[in-house]
Amino acid sequence: MKARSPRFSRRGIAALFLERQHLDRPRTRRLTAANLTRFVEDAGGLQLDTINVVDRAHHLTLWSRFGVYDRAALDRLIYRRKALFEYWAHAACLVPASHGAAWRRVMMEYGARPHSWRRSVRRNQAVLEHVLEEIRARGPLSSADFEHDRRGRSSGWWDRKPQTRALDYLWMTGRLAVHSRAHFQKRYDLLERVLPDLVRAEPPETEVFRRWHLRQSLRAMGAATESDLRMYLTFPGITIAERRHTLKAMLREGSVREVAVADAGRGRPKADRWLALAEDLPALARAGRRRVASRGTTLLSPFDSLLWHRERVRRLFGYDYKIEVYVPAARRRHGYYSLPILHDGHLIGRVDPKSWREERRLEVRSVHFEPWFAAGSPPPAAAWGHMDREAALDGVGAALVSLADFVGADRVTLGRVSPPTLAALLGRALRSSSERRS
């Protein structure tokens, strides 16, 4: 007879997810080499993005955990001490050096994988060799250091400069690494010169890597559905069939367990079964007994690893989130670059800020609170009891002042608040936090 699946609550899964994402006590830990490494090891990656309307995505993600920190110190940890390095883990990410051997397996296999670049690589082989030779001779170079070689056939390279595509491909296949960044532009050098320990590392066999990847994703989320697993650490390397094969083997041996979720809803398809590492079952049980999932208030980057699979966020927190950067302005509901508000384990709303650097001003163009929060009702997903709404608004005010400090703003200006009934309370909380800062 098949053993019954251990049963957990949705609130317990949400609480462990926040813990593994280092959001159980947001903005309270100090950014040190050990804390930075521990966070990125647990999450699996720290996503990078070029949008800079408030700050770069990785800076916002780290501020959410560590509060105000020294950017120069972070750069030293990444590009001098090599605590992290850049690779494509979930889009472009910083990944921990301790995971280097696993990602080396991906680099080695990337060139053999079927993908849209293969024909372009064959057509532009001369460009690849030229780029490699220039870097070998001249040292770290960026795309801007190469003139647009019109002899390269760019039609298969998405009409980008062939040298730029060559740099991408050589980075993905592990022949180059990101040496540093200047004005957020990547500067590449030979992998053996940037990360010699990675070159010497023994990469795991393919199936061992797939097991590691599945374990890493499950650990980062605490418990997950199969759709969650497809959407977390979504590098282009493991097919659905390969993941299912690995998952079946781990279920069979008992290192992964199927778990029942008490309040996950009925009638869900079998593909949405919940899974967890066997070693995490006690942690899930403990998380479900907590009075609150986390303590404190912070704002989340749109590219935060907590939000990598937005359907998961909706299931666990009852919160629908969409990045509206790519939505036409007339159709945006919450703003160009809205940041979710996390307070005591609940996503209670979102703010749309913009940093005016020359004016040293953080403009909060709009704040939208969730309907349940505005009405003073219980949270819709995982109930941790009554929420003190005034304390939550004080937390939002303090988070905005901290964010202003982080981006170098001397003041915060508050725009539209929805619903308007909360505008006066939030304005008072913001003024109080600003006065405490000064």
Side-chain angles (χ1 to χ4, degrees):
M1 180 182 295
K2 183 180 177 181
R4 293 184 63 182
S5 299
R7 195 172 186 81
F8 301 101
S9 65
R10 183 168 44 169
R11 61 177 274 176
I13 293 173
L16 186 57
F17 188 27
L18 289 168
E19 178 186 323
R20 293 288 166 80
Q21 296 293 316
H22 291 225
L23 287 167
D24 51 323
R25 291 188 294 119
R27 297 192 299 112
T28 60
R29 299 178 178 91
R30 193 165 63 91
L31 182 68
T32 63
N35 286 340
L36 173 67
T37 300
R38 193 175 301 116
F39 162 54
V40 186
E41 284 178 342
D42 284 348
L46 173 60
Q47 189 170 345
L48 299 160
D49 191 79
T50 58
I51 297 172
N52 196 25
V53 66
V54 183
D55 210 327
R56 304 292 184 189
H58 65 295
H59 284 310
L60 288 174
T61 298
L62 293 178
W63 168 83
S64 296
R65 277 79 178 167
F66 302 110
V68 178
Y69 64 87
D70 181 357
R71 289 172 177 76
L74 175 67
D75 284 346
R76 287 193 295 272
L77 288 172
I78 298 170
Y79 298 110
R80 291 190 190 176
R81 295 180 58 179
K82 310 293 174 61
L84 311 175
F85 67 93
E86 295 191 30
Y87 197 61
W88 194 275
H90 180 97
C93 279
L94 289 158
V95 296
S98 56
H99 293 178
W103 291 114
R104 184 74 174 130
R105 167 54 56 193
V106 177
M107 295 174 188
M108 294 171 67
E109 292 188 356
Y110 188 81
R113 285 266 176 181
H115 48 68
S116 60
W117 290 8
R118 179 171 288 180
R119 182 178 298 176
S120 298
V121 168
R122 286 199 299 266
R123 289 181 175 182
N124 292 276
Q125 191 64 40
V127 179
L128 290 173
E129 295 302 326
H130 171 71
V131 167
L132 268 177
E133 285 304 315
E134 286 292 296
I135 290 175
R136 185 175 289 114
R138 296 166 57 191
L141 298 175
S142 70
S143 174
D145 293 314
F146 293 91
E147 293 184 7
H148 194 153
D149 185 355
R150 299 293 176 180
R151 295 171 299 172
R153 299 179 62 181
S154 63
S155 61
W157 293 60
W158 300 340
D159 292 326
R160 295 174 66 194
K161 188 163 69 174
Q163 293 86 347
T164 301
R165 298 296 288 148
L167 289 166
D168 286 344
Y169 182 78
L170 293 166
W171 171 59
M172 288 295 294
T173 53
R175 298 168 77 180
L176 297 179
V178 176
H179 169 276
S180 56
R181 283 181 179 259
H183 307 293
F184 208 63
Q185 291 291 313
K186 289 183 284 189
R187 299 175 69 240
Y188 298 88
D189 202 352
L190 302 178
L191 181 69
E192 57 267 28
R193 295 202 292 230
V194 179
L195 299 166
D197 290 345
L198 186 57
V199 176
R200 292 189 289 267
E202 186 66 32
E205 295 300 321
T206 300
E207 182 57 27
V208 174
F209 167 78
R210 291 176 189 159
R211 285 170 172 258
W212 172 86
H213 184 269
L214 198 148
R215 280 184 57 85
Q216 176 64 50
S217 299
L218 278 175
R219 175 161 177 78
M221 290 184 277
T225 66
E226 291 184 64
S227 64
D228 293 339
L229 291 171
R230 287 195 300 273
M231 298 300 292
Y232 200 91
L233 292 179
T234 55
F235 81 100
I238 298 178
T239 67
I240 293 174
E242 289 166 345
R243 184 181 291 105
R244 285 178 177 167
H245 173 81
T246 301
L247 181 57
K248 283 181 181 178
M250 296 177 77
L251 283 164
R252 190 166 52 246
E253 71 190 23
S255 59
V256 172
R257 297 283 303 276
E258 187 170 344
V259 299
V261 180
D263 47 357
R266 296 182 180 180
R268 301 189 67 83
K270 187 171 178 59
D272 276 348
R273 59 181 173 168
W274 284 88
L275 305 154
L277 295 173
E279 65 196 49
D280 278 342
L281 300 185
L284 280 166
R286 288 193 299 271
R289 294 192 293 267
R290 290 183 197 157
R291 292 186 60 219
V292 293
S294 70
R295 285 289 189 191
T297 313
T298 198
L299 311 173
L300 303 178
S301 161
F303 302 100
D304 196 292
S305 48
L306 187 85
L307 306 171
W308 279 352
H309 186 21
R310 294 193 288 277
E311 170 60 20
R312 172 182 173 85
V313 172
R314 188 193 64 77
R315 278 186 273 115
L316 289 180
F317 299 97
Y319 184 84
D320 285 311
Y321 180 65
K322 184 174 186 177
I323 301 173
E324 296 187 321
V325 166
Y326 313 108
V327 175
R331 290 168 47 196
R332 290 181 192 135
R333 295 179 56 210
H334 301 118
Y336 177 79
Y337 200 69
S338 66
L339 310 183
I341 305 168
L342 176 71
H343 173 75
D344 283 1
H346 298 289
L347 292 164
I348 65 171
R350 61 208 85 200
V351 303
D352 180 33
K354 177 176 174 57
S355 177
W356 297 93
R357 293 171 179 84
E358 290 187 4
E359 299 176 27
R360 298 182 64 85
R361 175 171 67 97
L362 180 68
E363 178 191 12
V364 181
R365 291 182 284 196
S366 65
V367 182
H368 291 84
F369 289 105
E370 294 294 279
W372 64 266
F373 179 83
S377 303
W384 277 282
H386 174 72
M387 177 178 290
D388 185 332
R389 195 168 63 173
E390 193 165 332
L393 293 171
D394 286 343
V396 176
L400 287 170
V401 169
S402 174
L403 180 60
D405 279 343
F406 185 55
V407 301
D410 295 328
R411 60 195 177 101
V412 182
T413 55
L414 182 62
R416 182 167 55 93
V417 177
S418 179
T421 52
L422 296 181
L425 284 172
L426 180 58
R428 186 161 60 243
L430 186 57
R431 286 191 299 273
S432 177
S433 291
S434 297
E435 289 167 3
R436 285 197 296 270
R437 175 178 67 169
S438 56

Coordinates of all heavy atoms in Angstrom, one line a residue, residues 206-256:
T206 N 26.1 14.6 -16.4 CA 24.9 15.3 -16.7 C 23.7 14.9 -15.8 O 23.0 15.8 -15.3 CB 24.5 14.9 -18.2 OG1 25.5 15.3 -19.1 CG2 23.2 15.6 -18.6
E207 N 23.5 13.7 -15.5 CA 22.4 13.3 -14.6 C 22.6 13.8 -13.2 O 21.6 14.2 -12.5 CB 22.2 11.8 -14.6 CG 21.0 11.3 -13.8 CD 19.7 11.9 -14.2 OE1 19.5 12.3 -15.4 OE2 18.8 12.0 -13.3
V208 N 23.9 13.8 -12.7 CA 24.2 14.4 -11.4 C 23.8 15.9 -11.4 O 23.3 16.4 -10.4 CB 25.6 14.1 -11.0 CG1 26.0 14.8 -9.7 CG2 25.9 12.6 -11.0
F209 N 24.1 16.6 -12.5 CA 23.8 18.0 -12.5 C 22.3 18.2 -12.5 O 21.8 19.1 -11.8 CB 24.3 18.6 -13.8 CG 23.7 20.0 -14.1 CD1 24.1 21.1 -13.3 CD2 22.6 20.1 -15.0 CE1 23.6 22.3 -13.5 CE2 22.1 21.4 -15.1 CZ 22.5 22.5 -14.4
R210 N 21.5 17.3 -13.2 CA 20.1 17.5 -13.2 C 19.5 17.3 -11.8 O 18.5 18.0 -11.4 CB 19.4 16.5 -14.2 CG 19.7 16.8 -15.7 CD 19.2 15.8 -16.6 NE 19.6 16.0 -18.0 CZ 19.7 15.1 -18.9 NH1 19.2 13.9 -18.6 NH2 20.1 15.4 -20.1
R211 N 20.0 16.3 -11.1 CA 19.6 16.1 -9.7 C 19.9 17.3 -8.8 O 19.1 17.8 -8.0 CB 20.2 14.9 -9.1 CG 19.6 13.6 -9.6 CD 20.5 12.4 -9.2 NE 19.8 11.1 -9.5 CZ 19.2 10.4 -8.7 NH1 19.1 10.7 -7.4 NH2 18.6 9.2 -9.0
W212 N 21.1 17.9 -9.0 CA 21.5 19.0 -8.3 C 20.6 20.2 -8.6 O 20.1 20.9 -7.7 CB 23.0 19.4 -8.6 CG 23.4 20.8 -8.1 CD1 23.9 21.0 -6.8 CD2 23.2 22.1 -8.7 NE1 24.1 22.3 -6.6 CE2 23.7 23.0 -7.7 CE3 22.8 22.5 -9.9 CZ2 23.7 24.4 -8.0 CZ3 22.8 23.8 -10.2 CH2 23.3 24.8 -9.3
H213 N 20.3 20.4 -9.8 CA 19.4 21.5 -10.3 C 18.0 21.4 -9.7 O 17.5 22.4 -9.2 CB 19.3 21.5 -11.8 CG 18.6 22.7 -12.3 ND1 17.2 22.7 -12.6 CD2 19.0 23.9 -12.7 CE1 16.8 23.8 -13.1 NE2 17.9 24.6 -13.1
L214 N 17.5 20.2 -9.6 CA 16.2 20.0 -9.1 C 16.2 20.2 -7.6 O 15.3 20.8 -7.0 CB 15.7 18.5 -9.4 CG 14.1 18.3 -9.3 CD1 13.7 17.3 -10.3 CD2 13.8 17.8 -7.9
R215 N 17.2 19.7 -6.9 CA 17.4 19.9 -5.5 C 17.5 21.4 -5.1 O 16.9 21.9 -4.2 CB 18.6 19.1 -4.9 CG 18.4 17.6 -4.7 CD 19.7 17.1 -4.1 NE 20.1 17.8 -2.8 CZ 19.5 17.5 -1.7 NH1 18.7 16.5 -1.5 NH2 19.9 18.1 -0.6
Q216 N 18.3 22.1 -5.9 CA 18.5 23.5 -5.7 C 17.2 24.2 -5.8 O 16.9 25.1 -5.0 CB 19.5 24.0 -6.7 CG 19.7 25.5 -6.7 CD 20.4 26.0 -5.4 OE1 21.4 25.4 -4.9 NE2 19.8 27.0 -4.7
S217 N 16.4 23.9 -6.8 CA 15.1 24.6 -7.0 C 14.2 24.3 -5.9 O 13.5 25.2 -5.3 CB 14.5 24.2 -8.4 OG 15.4 24.6 -9.4
L218 N 14.1 23.0 -5.5 CA 13.2 22.7 -4.4 C 13.6 23.3 -3.1 O 12.8 23.8 -2.3 CB 13.1 21.1 -4.2 CG 12.2 20.4 -5.2 CD1 12.3 18.9 -5.0 CD2 10.7 20.8 -4.9
R219 N 14.9 23.3 -2.8 CA 15.4 23.9 -1.6 C 15.1 25.4 -1.5 O 14.7 25.9 -0.5 CB 16.9 23.7 -1.4 CG 17.4 24.4 -0.2 CD 18.7 23.8 0.3 NE 19.1 24.7 1.5 CZ 18.7 24.6 2.7 NH1 17.7 23.7 3.0 NH2 19.1 25.4 3.7
A220 N 15.2 26.1 -2.7 CA 15.0 27.5 -2.7 C 13.5 27.9 -2.5 O 13.2 28.9 -1.9 CB 15.4 28.1 -4.1
M221 N 12.6 26.9 -2.8 CA 11.2 27.2 -2.7 C 10.6 26.5 -1.5 O 9.5 26.9 -1.1 CB 10.5 26.8 -4.0 CG 10.8 27.7 -5.1 SD 9.8 27.3 -6.6 CE 10.8 25.9 -7.3
G222 N 11.3 25.6 -0.9 CA 10.7 24.9 0.3 C 9.8 23.8 -0.1 O 10.0 22.6 0.3
A223 N 8.8 24.0 -0.9 CA 8.0 23.0 -1.6 C 7.5 23.6 -2.9 O 7.4 24.9 -2.9 CB 6.8 22.6 -0.7
A224 N 7.2 22.8 -3.9 CA 6.9 23.4 -5.2 C 6.1 22.4 -6.0 O 6.2 21.2 -5.8 CB 8.2 23.7 -5.9
T225 N 5.3 22.9 -6.9 CA 4.7 22.1 -7.9 C 5.6 21.9 -9.1 O 6.6 22.6 -9.2 CB 3.4 22.8 -8.4 OG1 3.7 24.0 -9.2 CG2 2.4 23.2 -7.3
E226 N 5.2 21.0 -10.0 CA 6.1 20.8 -11.2 C 6.1 22.0 -12.1 O 7.1 22.3 -12.7 CB 5.5 19.6 -11.9 CG 5.8 18.3 -11.2 CD 5.4 17.0 -12.0 OE1 6.0 16.8 -13.0 OE2 4.4 16.3 -11.5
S227 N 5.0 22.8 -12.1 CA 5.1 24.0 -12.9 C 6.0 25.0 -12.2 O 6.7 25.8 -12.9 CB 3.7 24.6 -13.1 OG 3.1 25.0 -11.8
D228 N 6.1 25.1 -10.9 CA 7.0 25.9 -10.2 C 8.5 25.5 -10.6 O 9.3 26.4 -10.8 CB 6.9 25.8 -8.7 CG 5.6 26.3 -8.1 OD1 4.9 27.1 -8.8 OD2 5.2 25.9 -7.0
L229 N 8.7 24.3 -10.7 CA 10.1 23.8 -11.0 C 10.5 24.2 -12.4 O 11.6 24.5 -12.7 CB 10.2 22.3 -10.8 CG 10.1 21.8 -9.4 CD1 10.0 20.2 -9.4 CD2 11.3 22.2 -8.6
R230 N 9.5 24.2 -13.3 CA 9.8 24.6 -14.7 C 10.2 26.1 -14.8 O 10.9 26.6 -15.7 CB 8.6 24.3 -15.6 CG 8.5 22.9 -15.9 CD 7.5 22.7 -17.1 NE 6.2 23.3 -16.9 CZ 5.2 22.6 -16.3 NH1 5.4 21.3 -15.9 NH2 4.0 23.1 -16.2
M231 N 9.6 26.9 -13.8 CA 9.8 28.4 -13.9 C 10.8 28.9 -13.0 O 11.0 30.1 -12.9 CB 8.4 29.0 -13.6 CG 7.3 28.7 -14.5 SD 7.7 29.2 -16.2 CE 7.6 30.9 -16.1
Y232 N 11.5 28.1 -12.2 CA 12.6 28.6 -11.3 C 13.9 28.1 -11.9 O 14.1 27.0 -12.2 CB 12.3 28.0 -9.9 CG 13.0 28.8 -8.8 CD1 12.4 29.8 -8.2 CD2 14.3 28.5 -8.5 CE1 13.0 30.6 -7.2 CE2 15.0 29.2 -7.5 CZ 14.3 30.3 -6.9 OH 15.0 31.0 -5.9
L233 N 14.9 29.0 -11.9 CA 16.2 28.7 -12.5 C 16.0 28.2 -13.9 O 16.4 27.1 -14.2 CB 17.0 27.7 -11.6 CG 17.5 28.3 -10.3 CD1 18.3 27.2 -9.5 CD2 18.4 29.5 -10.4
T234 N 15.4 29.0 -14.8 CA 15.0 28.5 -16.1 C 16.0 28.7 -17.1 O 15.8 29.2 -18.2 CB 13.7 29.3 -16.5 OG1 14.0 30.7 -16.5 CG2 12.5 29.0 -15.6
F235 N 17.3 28.2 -16.9 CA 18.3 28.3 -17.9 C 17.9 27.4 -19.1 O 17.2 26.4 -18.9 CB 19.7 27.9 -17.3 CG 19.9 26.5 -17.2 CD1 20.6 25.8 -18.2 CD2 19.3 25.7 -16.2 CE1 20.8 24.4 -18.1 CE2 19.5 24.4 -16.1 CZ 20.3 23.7 -17.1
P236 N 18.4 27.6 -20.3 CA 18.1 26.8 -21.4 C 18.9 25.5 -21.5 O 19.9 25.4 -22.1 CB 18.4 27.7 -22.6 CG 19.5 28.6 -22.1 CD 19.2 28.8 -20.7
G237 N 18.5 24.5 -20.7 CA 19.4 23.3 -20.7 C 18.7 22.0 -20.3 O 19.2 20.9 -20.7
I238 N 17.6 22.0 -19.6 CA 16.9 20.8 -19.2 C 15.5 20.8 -19.8 O 14.7 21.8 -19.6 CB 16.8 20.7 -17.7 CG1 18.2 20.6 -17.1 CG2 16.0 19.4 -17.3 CD1 18.2 20.5 -15.6
T239 N 15.2 19.8 -20.6 CA 13.8 19.7 -21.2 C 12.9 19.2 -20.1 O 13.2 18.7 -19.1 CB 13.8 18.7 -22.4 OG1 14.1 17.4 -21.9 CG2 14.9 19.1 -23.4
I240 N 11.6 19.3 -20.4 CA 10.5 18.9 -19.5 C 10.7 17.4 -19.3 O 10.6 16.9 -18.2 CB 9.1 19.2 -20.1 CG1 8.9 20.7 -20.0 CG2 8.0 18.5 -19.3 CD1 7.7 21.2 -20.7
A241 N 10.9 16.6 -20.4 CA 11.1 15.2 -20.3 C 12.2 14.8 -19.4 O 12.2 13.8 -18.6 CB 11.2 14.6 -21.7
E242 N 13.4 15.5 -19.5 CA 14.5 15.2 -18.7 C 14.3 15.5 -17.3 O 14.7 14.7 -16.4 CB 15.7 16.0 -19.2 CG 16.3 15.5 -20.6 CD 17.2 16.6 -21.2 OE1 17.2 17.7 -20.8 OE2 17.9 16.2 -22.2
R243 N 13.6 16.6 -17.0 CA 13.3 16.9 -15.6 C 12.4 15.9 -15.0 O 12.5 15.4 -13.8 CB 12.6 18.3 -15.5 CG 12.4 18.7 -14.0 CD 11.7 20.1 -14.0 NE 12.6 21.2 -14.4 CZ 12.5 21.8 -15.6 NH1 11.6 21.4 -16.4 NH2 13.4 22.7 -15.9
R244 N 11.4 15.4 -15.7 CA 10.5 14.4 -15.2 C 11.2 13.1 -15.0 O 10.9 12.4 -14.0 CB 9.3 14.2 -16.2 CG 8.3 15.3 -16.2 CD 7.2 15.1 -17.2 NE 6.2 16.2 -17.1 CZ 5.3 16.4 -18.0 NH1 5.2 15.7 -19.1 NH2 4.4 17.4 -17.9
H245 N 12.1 12.7 -15.8 CA 12.9 11.5 -15.6 C 13.7 11.6 -14.3 O 13.7 10.6 -13.5 CB 13.8 11.3 -16.8 CG 14.8 10.1 -16.6 ND1 14.4 8.8 -16.9 CD2 16.1 10.1 -16.2 CE1 15.5 8.1 -16.6 NE2 16.5 8.8 -16.2
T246 N 14.3 12.7 -14.1 CA 15.1 12.9 -12.9 C 14.2 12.9 -11.7 O 14.5 12.3 -10.6 CB 15.9 14.2 -13.0 OG1 16.8 14.1 -14.1 CG2 16.7 14.4 -11.7
L247 N 13.1 13.6 -11.8 CA 12.1 13.7 -10.6 C 11.6 12.3 -10.3 O 11.5 11.9 -9.1 CB 11.0 14.6 -11.0 CG 9.9 14.8 -9.9 CD1 10.5 15.4 -8.7 CD2 8.8 15.8 -10.5
K248 N 11.2 11.5 -11.3 CA 10.8 10.1 -11.0 C 11.8 9.3 -10.2 O 11.5 8.6 -9.3 CB 10.4 9.4 -12.3 CG 9.1 9.8 -12.9 CD 8.8 9.0 -14.2 CE 7.5 9.5 -14.8 NZ 7.3 8.8 -16.1
A249 N 13.1 9.4 -10.6 CA 14.1 8.7 -9.9 C 14.3 9.1 -8.5 O 14.4 8.3 -7.6 CB 15.4 8.9 -10.7
M250 N 14.2 10.4 -8.3 CA 14.3 11.0 -6.9 C 13.1 10.6 -6.0 O 13.3 10.4 -4.8 CB 14.6 12.5 -7.0 CG 15.9 12.8 -7.7 SD 16.3 14.6 -7.8 CE 16.8 15.0 -6.1
L251 N 11.9 10.6 -6.6 CA 10.8 10.1 -5.9 C 10.9 8.7 -5.5 O 10.5 8.2 -4.4 CB 9.5 10.4 -6.7 CG 9.0 11.8 -6.8 CD1 8.0 12.0 -7.9 CD2 8.3 12.2 -5.4
R252 N 11.3 7.9 -6.5 CA 11.5 6.4 -6.3 C 12.4 6.1 -5.1 O 12.2 5.2 -4.3 CB 11.9 5.8 -7.6 CG 11.8 4.3 -7.6 CD 11.9 3.7 -9.0 NE 13.1 4.2 -9.7 CZ 13.0 5.0 -10.8 NH1 11.9 5.4 -11.2 NH2 14.1 5.4 -11.3
E253 N 13.5 6.9 -5.1 CA 14.6 6.6 -4.0 C 14.2 7.3 -2.7 O 14.8 7.0 -1.7 CB 15.9 7.0 -4.5 CG 16.1 8.5 -4.6 CD 17.4 9.0 -5.3 OE1 17.9 8.2 -6.1 OE2 17.8 10.1 -5.1
G254 N 13.2 8.2 -2.7 CA 12.8 8.8 -1.5 C 13.4 10.1 -1.1 O 13.1 10.7 -0.1
S255 N 14.4 10.7 -1.9 CA 15.0 11.9 -1.6 C 14.0 13.1 -1.8 O 14.2 14.2 -1.3 CB 16.3 12.1 -2.4 OG 16.1 12.1 -3.8
V256 N 13.1 12.9 -2.7 CA 12.0 13.9 -2.9 C 10.7 13.2 -2.6 O 10.5 12.0 -2.8 CB 11.9 14.3 -4.4 CG1 10.7 15.2 -4.7 CG2 13.2 15.1 -4.8

